[in-house]
Amino acid sequence: MKKTLLTYVKPHVQEDPLSMILGIGYLGAMMEREKLPIALHDERVGNDQDMKAAIDANDIIGFSALTPNIRRAIAWAKYAKEQGKITVMGGPHASVDQGVFLDSGHFDYVLKGEAEHTLPELVRSIEGNDDNALLEIPGLASMRDGELWVDNPAPPLIKKLDELPIPARHLLPMESYFKNNPEHLVYIFTTRGCPFKCIFCQKELTGRGFRVRSTEAIVDELEHIIKTYDPGVILFVDEILTLRKKRIHEMCDEIIRRGLKFEWVANTRADCVDYPLLKHMHRAGCRRIYYGWESGSQRMLDVLKKDLTPEVIVNAAKMTRRAGIWAKVYLIVGSPGETPQDIAETEKVLRLAGPDLIRISVFNPLIGTESWDNYQASIDISDLSENYVSSNRSGYKHEHFTQIELEELRKRMVRSYEKWYYAMPQRLRRVYERGLYYIENPQHGKKRLGRAVGLVPPPQRHVVTNHH
């Protein structure tokens, strides 16, 4: 039987802490459930020789890559074809731009949409050399003799997420992730999709609906992660974890009921939290929240269709701090029509809100998004076709800033904010606010004081091995 390899192509710049990839983890788990031979490889762990060895050892090579890294995926597919392998591309970019892969001549198949069900179908059809079965696979696109042979629409979105197995973390190099990431970070999904209409977001893969897993399934997986891997931090990588507050209250109740002690991080929006929810999340172990603010200028928030106001942003930051939770925020510079005045308004909101960390990217109109459709006249297609994008460069030709100016602006904003954040007045402000938190939550204050004077020992962690 043919052996399948699913490989994640590394970014040219690794900006986030090294941690596991959930996408190929889910696919690997489905292949195991279907009793099909499967291996997973993360190119970020190891070197080119390791990647070549993984490709050489398997028959069907499936690639996963973010938009900035598709050129690298194509280069690896070329190598795989030279070794006589069958090549497949999936993921968000493949779902909106199949041509860039098929036209390269290095991919036999593209799978659009969620592929947990269609990948096993594809592998079985290849194994059986069954063209009729291939023609029926939802989301499959393929060329033959220079012509498009099959181009099926993506499959319906998977409605019942509880029916999916948990990701095959045991097939991933967990020890290597932990070795390269001092926090021992582990990822988990509880939802798929996002109903908001931000113009810069690709939604073709998971859709604009909002599909959720049950509380029991989520906490079962959390318990499995904790017992198996002893993580330092668990990151909920849902786009908006707290969209439905009731289910997060239920999740926190179940975490507390089972006595699970772990630190976790959430991604969400400023208008999807309130103080009672944030307090409950902290009690259940949430210590950080990552917010997508994008801007502090109302005009830019409207351009990006964020459906937020600066007042909501500032209020969410203050509530988060009051609940004892640390906040990181994501911002975008160089949005269409942005001016120095808009930048100044963003910097003013940052200082009113006082988040603990900011991360700034340059506006990028990705294919398959409203920004791509609306700003075609200002996109340098030839530049994108060669380089694609990253957080610090863009194919968008801005009205008021050059690419160099935007990159300098991005760096200056970060330096300026960090200088302000670490200045003594802000340090004193945070000490004061932390003190108010401990007065309001004396049980945490006693533990913190006990640790400070050595009466309460710090939490202990044991070393986890042999999970790959």
Side-chain angles (χ1 to χ4, degrees):
M1 183 174 282
K2 287 183 170 60
K3 297 184 294 183
T4 301
L5 171 75
L6 300 178
T7 181
Y8 179 78
V9 177
K10 72 178 180 182
H12 52 280
V13 177
Q14 179 65 37
E15 295 177 322
D16 293 317
L18 189 65
S19 189
M20 66 168 292
I21 300 301
L22 279 177
I24 63 173
Y26 271 108
L27 295 174
M30 283 298 288
M31 291 287 284
E32 283 194 322
R33 176 185 281 183
E34 296 294 321
K35 297 182 169 47
L36 293 166
I38 184 67
L40 304 183
H41 182 75
D42 187 341
E43 195 200 351
R44 299 173 306 164
V45 177
N47 53 35
D48 286 1
Q49 287 307 118
D50 296 322
M51 182 74 157
K52 287 179 179 178
I55 291 172
D56 293 346
N58 293 276
D59 306 301
I60 301 170
I61 314 301
F63 292 91
S64 174
L66 299 177
T67 292
N69 315 314
I70 65 171
R71 288 292 156 200
R72 189 172 183 86
I74 292 170
W76 276 120
K78 179 176 184 292
Y79 171 80
K81 289 305 298 175
E82 289 168 351
Q83 312 312 307
K85 310 300 181 179
I86 297 167
T87 52
V88 185
M89 189 72 200
H93 196 100
S95 297
V96 297
D97 187 20
Q98 65 187 36
V100 71
F101 304 108
L102 295 177
D103 293 344
S104 73
H106 304 311
F107 288 91
D108 296 296
Y109 304 101
V110 165
L111 268 182
K112 296 170 284 186
E114 294 175 322
E116 280 88 353
H117 297 303
T118 54
L119 179 63
E121 284 186 55
L122 174 62
V123 170
R124 283 207 173 94
S125 299
I126 293 171
E127 183 71 33
N129 198 25
D130 190 340
D131 279 358
N132 290 329
L134 285 170
L135 288 169
E136 297 300 318
I137 296 174
L140 187 69
S142 181
M143 305 270 284
R144 288 205 180 166
D145 301 321
E147 299 291 333
L148 197 59
W149 175 64
V150 58
D151 184 15
N152 293 332
L157 296 172
I158 298 169
K159 291 183 179 179
K160 296 181 179 179
L161 298 182
D162 280 2
E163 294 179 355
L164 296 175
I166 67 171
R169 294 180 177 89
H170 59 282
L171 297 180
L172 289 163
M174 298 299 289
E175 295 95 337
S176 295
Y177 294 145
F178 290 163
K179 182 179 178 182
N180 287 282
N181 181 347
E183 285 197 318
H184 287 208
L185 188 66
V186 176
Y187 290 171
I188 185 173
F189 264 123
T190 76
T191 63
R192 290 187 183 183
C194 171
F196 291 93
K197 296 181 172 59
C198 307
I199 67 171
F200 50 83
C201 238
Q202 284 178 341
K203 292 296 178 195
E204 195 66 27
L205 187 64
T206 56
R208 292 203 179 273
F210 192 68
R211 295 163 288 149
V212 304
R213 298 170 63 195
S214 67
T215 296
E216 183 180 14
I218 294 164
V219 185
D220 282 350
E221 184 176 349
L222 288 170
E223 195 163 8
H224 167 76
I225 291 170
I226 292 164
K227 290 180 178 178
T228 309
Y229 299 106
D230 187 30
V233 179
I234 295 178
L235 171 61
F236 289 81
V237 292
D238 308 60
E239 294 174 84
I240 311 175
L241 181 70
T242 62
L243 180 65
R244 296 182 187 169
K245 296 171 188 172
K246 182 183 177 201
R247 79 178 194 97
I248 301 305
H249 279 296
E250 291 171 353
M251 184 186 81
C252 291
D253 281 337
E254 185 62 12
I255 289 170
I256 294 166
R257 187 189 72 78
R258 296 196 196 185
L260 300 180
K261 304 291 186 182
F262 67 104
E263 182 176 319
W264 53 278
V265 185
N267 289 298
T268 194
R269 283 171 51 102
D271 57 350
C272 292
V273 295
D274 56 39
Y275 186 56
L277 177 64
L278 290 167
K279 278 190 68 175
H280 200 179
M281 289 168 65
H282 184 277
R283 187 170 162 233
C286 180
R287 295 297 179 267
R288 281 177 272 170
I289 293 181
Y290 300 161
Y291 288 109
W293 289 359
E294 322 318 346
S295 178
S297 158
Q298 185 64 65
R299 199 170 71 86
M300 288 300 99
L301 290 169
D302 293 342
V303 165
L304 297 172
K305 294 191 176 179
K306 282 296 294 184
D307 198 21
L308 283 174
T309 67
E311 291 75 21
V312 166
I313 285 171
V314 171
N315 190 42
K318 290 181 176 179
M319 287 190 298
T320 303
R321 194 160 50 247
R322 183 182 166 202
I325 299 174
W326 181 96
K328 175 168 80 171
V329 302
Y330 294 96
L331 300 169
I332 294 174
V333 295
S335 298
E338 189 162 40
T339 65
Q341 177 60 36
D342 294 310
I343 298 294
E345 289 178 22
T346 294
E347 294 191 293
K348 178 182 176 182
V349 166
L350 279 174
R351 283 156 177 74
L352 288 171
D356 299 283
L357 186 68
I358 63 172
R359 181 168 171 183
I360 305 177
S361 300
V362 176
F363 175 77
N364 272 304
L366 300 179
I367 190 167
T369 67
E370 185 178 337
S371 61
W372 179 273
D373 297 335
N374 288 353
Y375 298 105
Q376 282 280 330
S378 298
I379 299 171
D380 186 342
I381 304 294
S382 62
D383 178 39
L384 280 183
S385 67
E386 291 301 319
N387 303 300
Y388 271 88
V389 295
S390 66
S391 62
N392 61 358
R393 64 173 307 280
S394 170
Y396 180 74
K397 294 177 284 188
H398 201 272
E399 304 91 326
H400 303 127
F401 303 100
T402 66
Q403 281 293 311
I404 293 174
E405 287 171 339
L406 284 173
E407 172 59 4
E408 287 304 312
L409 176 62
R410 188 177 78 94
K411 291 178 180 177
R412 181 197 63 75
M413 288 178 71
V414 171
R415 287 195 301 264
S416 174
Y417 184 77
E418 288 179 348
K419 183 179 179 181
W420 174 86
Y421 179 85
Y422 288 109
M424 189 54 67
Q426 304 316 314
R427 289 178 183 270
L428 293 174
R429 168 188 170 184
R430 289 193 294 279
V431 168
Y432 170 72
E433 289 170 340
R434 201 172 290 125
L436 291 179
Y437 166 76
Y438 287 127
I439 290 171
E440 187 174 334
N441 302 275
Q443 71 277 20
H444 295 297
K446 289 176 183 176
K447 188 180 293 185
R448 181 69 179 254
L449 181 61
R451 283 188 184 145
V453 299
L455 296 177
V456 176
Q460 298 296 310
R461 299 183 60 254
H462 61 272
V463 177
V464 177
T465 59
N466 300 322
H467 289 298
H468 179 42

